[in-house]
Amino acid sequence: EGIITLSSIIFLINPIGQQFQFLFQKEFQFKTIGKIEIFSGVLGTITAIYLAFNGFKEFSMIYGLIINASVKSLSLFILGCKKWRPLLYFKLSDIKEHLTFGIYTVGDNFLNFFSTNLGNIIIGGALGARALGFYTLAYQLVIFPISKLNPIITKVAFPVFSKIGGDKLHLKSGYLNIMDIISSVNFPLLVGLLVTSDSIIPIVYGSGWEVTIQLIKLLCIVGILRSLGNPLGSLLMSQGRADLGFKLNLITLLLQLPVLYVGAKAFGIYGVAVGFIIVQFINIVLNFRMVSFIIGSWINNLFKRVYIQLIISALMGGGVYALGSYFSSKHLIVQLTCQVILGIIIYVVFYLVFKKENLKNFKTYVSK
């Protein structure tokens, strides 16, 4: 109770600088945001470590997060006020349109959070804590690359799409470039995780976690499909159509509930993973239809862009899997090291041959 109460202070601190953070993003000032986030993150971490060594126990983590949020918000506020000075002005009619947009955005985020964690709720309730532990570990490993790498691209995508406005031709070109980059990053990572999970789990977590290996392989398919749907949010928000994202997440949630529950009851945690694949496939079909509604016909162009990544990733996965079959279970660290090195070599060589032009687009987005 004390931890929750103390943590809630962060919700009062974050809004102080949040508006300025979005304004900096809109002006492509990502370097400024990055410096602030790194400085505040390091300071918060140092604070947490210092307090942990001085008897604050679990509260040291919370105080570290509070310092992080405070320094970040105040820095954004001070630097932001120099460019955009706030005024004591308020008129409801001026923000009515933004409130409508905001309500859908909040609803979209809530549904997305709930649908993302629905698997945990169903597994915990239907199958117990042990099954939930296996599933959570597998899910976290699969979702890690998506949650850490995709925001680098999608954060830049929103202001880019906003500046393009309603120009469908340029929107289509920009969206295809982002899908190209995202597939170039996520496909090899997730395929690599799929074929090396037999080595990673025993090395990192030891014996007793073998159940997660098959779960990871199933959830990697979910990860590939989900990564292709990530840029939609930026596109819809830039065009003022947060309502479409809300409707998509609502449909996904209504599909997930019966599919995951039946899967859990009939086939256990593997049934939940297969259920996620089914729901995610339906979600991506609806996702692509929404993109077509915004930018026009684009699916054929998408397949022309990403099929090379699929082929290269499949070749890489096949080579890595074949190499792993030559090792015995006694040399897992050596096996994993050789597999990773071979996988990087195969993917980089083929990528440089067939998709060299993508590196320019990737540098452009990352540099921002």
Side-chain angles (χ1 to χ4, degrees), residues 5-232:
T5 303
L6 189 60
S7 300
S8 65
I9 296 172
I10 296 171
F11 289 100
L12 302 177
I13 297 170
N14 282 336
I16 296 170
Q18 208 160 42
Q19 295 295 324
F20 293 108
Q21 179 175 345
F22 296 138
L23 288 168
F24 280 124
Q25 287 179 1
K26 185 179 178 181
E27 298 298 322
F28 299 101
Q29 299 288 320
F30 291 98
K31 187 176 289 186
T32 300
I33 298 172
K35 289 178 180 178
I36 291 172
E37 288 183 341
I38 291 170
F39 176 71
S40 59
V42 169
L43 199 61
T45 303
I46 292 172
T47 302
I49 293 171
Y50 174 79
L51 294 176
F53 277 105
N54 285 273
F56 282 78
K57 298 182 180 179
E58 66 274 10
F59 284 95
S60 59
M61 193 81 168
I62 309 304
Y63 285 119
L65 291 172
I66 291 172
I67 293 295
N68 185 349
S70 301
V71 173
K72 178 182 175 181
S73 287
L74 288 174
S75 300
L76 287 167
F77 182 82
I78 292 168
L79 292 177
C81 283
K82 294 179 180 179
K83 296 186 61 134
W84 306 282
R85 186 173 295 277
L87 300 174
L88 292 174
Y89 170 84
F90 178 79
K91 193 174 182 181
L92 186 61
S93 59
D94 288 352
I95 62 169
K96 186 177 180 181
E97 182 181 351
H98 299 290
L99 285 174
T100 304
F101 177 83
I103 289 170
Y104 277 115
T105 303
V106 170
D108 179 30
N109 289 336
F110 175 79
L111 290 175
N112 184 51
F113 175 82
F114 191 71
S115 64
T116 300
N117 291 279
L118 186 60
N120 295 340
I121 297 170
I122 290 174
I123 291 172
L127 303 176
R130 180 178 172 79
L132 180 59
F134 289 132
Y135 176 82
T136 302
L137 177 63
Y139 184 81
Q140 287 176 345
L141 283 173
V142 171
I143 211 69
F144 181 80
I146 300 173
S147 63
K148 298 301 179 184
L149 295 173
N150 284 12
I152 297 173
I153 307 301
T154 54
K155 275 186 179 180
V156 182
F158 177 53
V160 169
F161 291 153
S162 297
K163 287 188 178 291
I164 292 173
D167 186 340
K168 288 190 175 183
L169 186 63
H170 285 91
L171 274 176
K172 184 187 296 185
S173 175
Y175 199 81
L176 286 168
N177 284 336
I178 288 171
M179 292 290 283
D180 211 343
I181 295 167
I182 283 178
S183 61
S184 297
V185 173
N186 286 289
F187 285 5
L189 287 174
L190 290 169
V191 171
L193 178 61
L194 188 152
V195 297
T196 60
S197 56
D198 302 84
S199 306
I200 291 175
I201 295 301
I203 290 172
V204 177
Y205 296 100
S207 60
W209 291 93
E210 289 77 12
V211 175
T212 61
I213 295 173
Q214 296 303 320
L215 279 174
I216 287 172
K217 293 177 179 179
L218 291 170
L219 291 174
C220 278
I221 301 172
V222 177
I224 289 171
L225 292 172
R226 180 168 291 184
S227 68
L228 291 174
N230 276 167
L232 176 65

